[in-house]
């Protein structure tokens, strides 16, 4: 799996369906669609965006999205493309594109989730992209892994070893599958994710809200500085653990702590607002903002971590209220080193 900083052909997203976990009312659906569209338009300023739309929502999608966004149709349960979509990989020998189709089961068969339709999106995206399909029996989501493109992958015990995802699998079993699918040679296990992410509408601990790898040997890590928040202790433990690990090349990490926003709670619970959950695109970074005094400091950290890229922020509070962030609703497709001959683009109906 290449680094997210490698050249990309496009970004994939999914349009929020009329009925989903994203909201039960017309107002909720509208708010979600506005936020997803803002992210799509921010990304399209740097690279093409393809949006998967449920056929029933095609007319609605046209009201929220500009003509710059390519629309393809397929039945959807939800709109978290990072998790329902494939993980793209490249062949070491010839640079040709592959797509790993993980098993998706609603973030561990959660009682609020539906996934019968979403379980087919990964393979459909791979077919449409022209990539080679790589089937995996592992229940996994794209938000559950972070890589450096050189063999290092970060995961969490509460996701890949979740008994509702992969009952009976050991760390060795998971590591073997990650080696054969995404080329992982060094798997770093975090014990858990953030507090809110382990509650209703959470993922039980996705790593892409906790840590990111902007360049080889460097880690951006979420840091809660207020000891009133339960993530204060969680992030202290994670940072301490990571400081004792090495990447696939045997290097100790340069750890850059990214302070959490100052807000601690929303109307429901402790927030897991995180600047880590950003998307790297060609020449840019699409980052979360929260209307918080910490936003500008986080922007500066990202600008330093990704030199030469323009950092564009989008208000991510409506996305986080639904259980994720900007990285969670997008999936990058890396540019292949050479075109794959004889592969027809298929997998979706075109509007």
């Amino acid at each position: 799996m290449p680094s997210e900083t490698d050249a990309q052909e496009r970004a994939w997203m999914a349009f929020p369906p009329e009925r989903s976990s994203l909201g039960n009312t017309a107002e909720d659906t509208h708010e979600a669609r506005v936020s997803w569209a803002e992210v799509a338009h921010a990304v399209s300023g740097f690279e093409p965006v393809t949006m998967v739309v449920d056929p029933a929502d095609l007319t609605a999608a046209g009201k929220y999205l500009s003509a710059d966004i390519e629309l393809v149709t397929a039945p959807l349960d939800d709109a978290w493309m990072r998790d329902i979509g494939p993980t793209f990989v490249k062949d070491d020998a010839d640079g040709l594109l592959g797509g790993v189709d993980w098993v998706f089961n609603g973030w561990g068969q959660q009682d609020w989730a539906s996934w019968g339709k979403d379980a087919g999106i990964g393979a459909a995206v791979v077919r449409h992209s022209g990539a080679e399909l790589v089937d995996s029996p592992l229940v996994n989501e794209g938000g559950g892994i972070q890589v450096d493109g050189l063999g290092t992958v970060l995961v969490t015990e509460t996701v890949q070893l979740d008994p509702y995802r992969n009952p009976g699998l050991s760390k060795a079993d998971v590591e073997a599958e990650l080696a054969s699918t995404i080329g992982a040679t060094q798997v770093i296990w975090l014990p858990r994710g953030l507090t809110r992410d382990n509650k209703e509408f959470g993922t039980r601990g996705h790593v892409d809200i906790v840590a990111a790898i902007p360049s080889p040997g460097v880690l951006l890590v979420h840091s809660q500085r207020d000891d009133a928040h339960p993530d204060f202790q969680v992030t202290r433990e994670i940072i301490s653990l990571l400081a004792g690990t090495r990447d696939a090349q045997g290097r100790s990490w340069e750890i850059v702590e990214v302070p959490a926003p100052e807000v601690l709670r929303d109307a429901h619970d402790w927030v897991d607002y995180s600047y880590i959950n950003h998307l790297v695109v060609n020449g840019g970074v699409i980052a979360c903002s929260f209307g918080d005094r910490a936003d500008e400091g986080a922007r500066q950290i990202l600008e330093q971590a990704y030199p030469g890229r323009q950092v564009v922020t989008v208000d991510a509070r409506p996305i986080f209220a639904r259980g994720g962030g900007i990285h969670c609703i997008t999936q990058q497709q890396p540019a292949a080193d050479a075109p794959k001959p004889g592969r027809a683009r298929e997998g979706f109906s075109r509007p």
Side-chain angles (χ1 to χ4, degrees), residues 1-4 145-154 182 184 212-214:
M1 181 179 175
S3 167
E4 294 187 19
I145 54 176
Q146 289 278 42
V147 305
D148 64 356
L150 300 172
T152 312
V153 61
L154 307 178
I182 65 170
I213 309 175

Side-chain angles (χ1 to χ4, degrees), residues 84-159:
I84 66 178
T87 293
F88 286 102
V89 294
K90 290 170 69 173
D91 187 276
D92 283 341
D94 55 24
L96 297 182
L97 194 66
V100 181
D101 181 26
W102 313 106
V103 176
F104 179 72
N105 74 347
W107 302 277
Q109 307 173 55
Q110 303 221 39
D111 56 10
W112 49 264
S114 299
W115 58 89
K117 300 171 184 175
D118 284 351
I121 295 298
V125 168
V126 173
R127 290 194 298 269
H128 187 78
S129 72
E132 189 74 28
L133 183 66
V134 181
D135 276 314
S136 174
L138 187 71
V139 179
N140 189 39
E141 302 94 36
I145 54 176
Q146 289 278 42
V147 305
D148 64 356
L150 300 172
T152 312
V153 61
L154 307 178
V155 297
T156 50
E157 295 179 11
T158 52
V159 172

